[in-house]
Amino acid sequence: MAEGGLKIDPWSSNQSTDYSRIIEQFGLSSMDMVKMSNPSKLHRRGIVFAHRDLDVVLDAKNSGEKFGVLTGLMPSGKMHLGHSMVIEQVKWFQSQGGDVTIAVADLESQATRGVSLQKGREIALNEYISNYAALGLDPEKTNVYFQSTRPIVQRLGFQLGKRTNLNEFESIYGFSGDTNLAHLQAPMVQVGDILHPQTEEYGGLRPIVVPVGVDQDPHLRLTRGLAAKTNWFNINDGRKSGVVIGLSIQEDNAEILGQQPNGRMDKQRLNSIFDGIVSCLNDIGYSDIISNPKNGTVNIPGATSGDKIRIRMKLLEYERQLGGMGLLAPSSTYHHFAVGLTGDKMSSSKPKTTIFLGDGVDSVTKKIKRAYSGGQSTVEEHRRLGGNPDVDVAYQYMMYFFEDDDDFLQSVNADYRSGKILAGEMKQLCIDRAVEWFEEMNEKRSSSEHLVKEFLSQDSI
Ligand code: TRP
């Protein structure tokens, strides 16, 4: 957390919205340069604003290879509009062919919110999964599980714990001596959540994208770092050009990679490992491969930086054949937080700031009527100076949730700024759409109620 001062605490409702600083400080990539076909409205409108390695997933999709999507929900409190953004993104990835896994973070909720496993289960099913069904996730292609009943998740978390320490947790999360140990374990369980879909049992090696709010980025930084630390092969840009592969000899692979207990290398073993590397690269089709076991490197002069991911996938497969975990660092995307009804942050612990997905249309209408407005205090002033859609909750909610038509939204935006549309009229536009949206949600929730159990994986029944 320390560098540059900005801190992201995944368990606080008080998040920074200084997105450009977040991008810079934590090394996220901006979405500006990303090319997507059929982007969703959250992508088109810049609401999904940053990512890590999204290109890896989009490349897989574009070349018809498998990819997965994983996200998680913390079962505490009610599901509100803000939570639906992740599901919008999951749906989008699902429509692009991704398989979907959803973690119910019941262990985390117990550790950090004091919600019992039983209660967590009820909340997950009645509040979240039923809304996911209504929002249109496909139960056939979605797998929901509970942290508490999927041993591999906890095992992976435990095993990878070997590669981190309290100092790292202090710097990422700000944990200190009085941090409860269950809370300390929660991030490791989340590491297990994020990485386990890559295991053979859960779909095998493939890129996995994790769409989340930016508050969850600390977990992704941790997970990506841990995955990279387990890799047996390093892949780097060559000094001048090309790509260079080296070995990462560690306690649990030394023998397999040919290092003897006395530290000397077993030549035969080493040569066979290097032959294996070369044959991976031959599969990709490089003509010029310079293998130098003595030096511990393989050079591919003709490869570019952009080839590294293909090389990595091949070498991760090879690592798995040799007995390693072969873990690929997860990709991620981040969305802006929707503003709360009061103009401040949206938070389920402050009901006045948000609309819950279970709210009735009367209550939704009332809430929008009372919402913070970007209009001027009198009609005369508004006509003269215009309103500000950037802080107007009604406009923002149309943009984030209720209005699909970009052109319409743009004209409303312009007409608000020019003073042509009044604040009350803006609210009415929002209410009309919100009412329709919620009526549809309510209908779908009842008609898809029977689907809730179809979302559940075998180990969560
Ligand atoms: N920590 C997340 C939250 O507070 C829930 C979660 C658990 C999660 N495991 C995950 C999110 C894996 C993304 C990926 O909401």
Side-chain angles (χ1 to χ4, degrees), residues 70-72 74 105 108 147 190 193-194 210 212 216:
L70 176 129
T71 194
M74 171 107 98
E108 182 184 10
Q147 287 179 329
Q190 186 151 343
D193 285 330
I194 295 173
V210 186
V212 279
Q216 296 293 306

Side-chain angles (χ1 to χ4, degrees), residues 77-306:
K78 294 195 266 185
M79 182 166 173
H80 62 58
L81 272 179
H83 293 128
S84 71
M85 280 191 274
V86 160
I87 300 310
E88 276 301 308
Q89 288 188 73
V90 170
K91 244 171 64 178
W92 185 81
F93 283 114
Q94 185 163 67
S95 75
Q96 305 298 304
D99 63 86
V100 176
T101 311
I102 294 176
V104 177
D106 58 346
L107 288 176
E108 182 184 10
S109 193
Q110 185 169 49
T112 65
R113 302 270 195 263
V115 175
S116 74
L117 295 181
Q118 179 53 35
K119 184 83 192 146
R121 187 181 172 90
E122 280 163 29
I123 296 174
L125 299 182
N126 303 335
E127 265 301 321
Y128 287 81
I129 311 303
S130 61
N131 281 313
Y132 292 1
L135 287 167
L137 271 192
D138 180 351
E140 301 270 305
K141 297 187 202 140
T142 308
N143 226 293
V144 175
Y145 74 93
F146 291 78
Q147 287 179 329
S148 65
T149 58
R150 187 161 281 188
I152 194 169
V153 163
Q154 297 169 52
R155 186 167 75 230
L156 262 177
F158 192 99
Q159 287 170 326
L160 290 166
K162 237 190 131 171
R163 318 244 175 194
T164 181
N165 59 30
L166 285 175
N167 288 334
E168 190 179 20
F169 270 47
E170 189 187 336
S171 93
I172 296 182
Y173 298 105
F175 286 169
S176 59
D178 58 3
T179 301
N180 184 284
L181 290 196
H183 196 157
L184 191 80
Q185 288 190 66
M188 290 314 298
V189 178
Q190 186 151 343
V191 167
D193 285 330
I194 295 173
L195 292 175
H196 90 281
Q198 294 183 41
T199 60
E200 297 310 319
E201 201 183 336
Y202 288 96
L205 179 59
R206 67 201 185 291
I208 302 287
V209 58
V210 186
V212 279
V214 76
D215 61 309
Q216 296 293 306
D217 185 54
H219 299 308
L220 280 135
R221 263 181 278 144
L222 175 70
T223 309
R224 287 167 55 85
L226 292 174
K229 280 183 204 164
T230 67
N231 290 172
W232 291 16
F233 303 103
N234 299 320
I235 303 164
N236 291 304
D237 291 318
R239 215 172 292 148
K240 286 203 201 97
S241 61
V243 167
V244 184
I245 297 163
L247 301 184
S248 167
I249 298 182
Q250 312 166 9
E251 197 179 50
D252 52 5
N253 67 15
E255 196 182 334
I256 298 168
L257 295 182
Q259 190 177 64
Q260 295 165 328
N262 64 10
R264 300 197 22 205
M265 297 306 286
D266 169 344
K267 273 202 201 116
Q268 222 181 340
R269 182 77 214 144
L270 191 66
N271 285 336
S272 100
I273 295 291
F274 272 68
D275 289 347
I277 297 176
V278 171
S279 101
C280 289
L281 299 173
N282 279 333
D283 282 355
I284 304 182
Y286 294 109
S287 52
D288 193 12
I289 301 168
I290 306 162
S291 173
N292 193 341
K294 247 200 204 141
N295 247 352
T297 58
V298 176
N299 280 272
I300 323 160
T304 64
S305 232

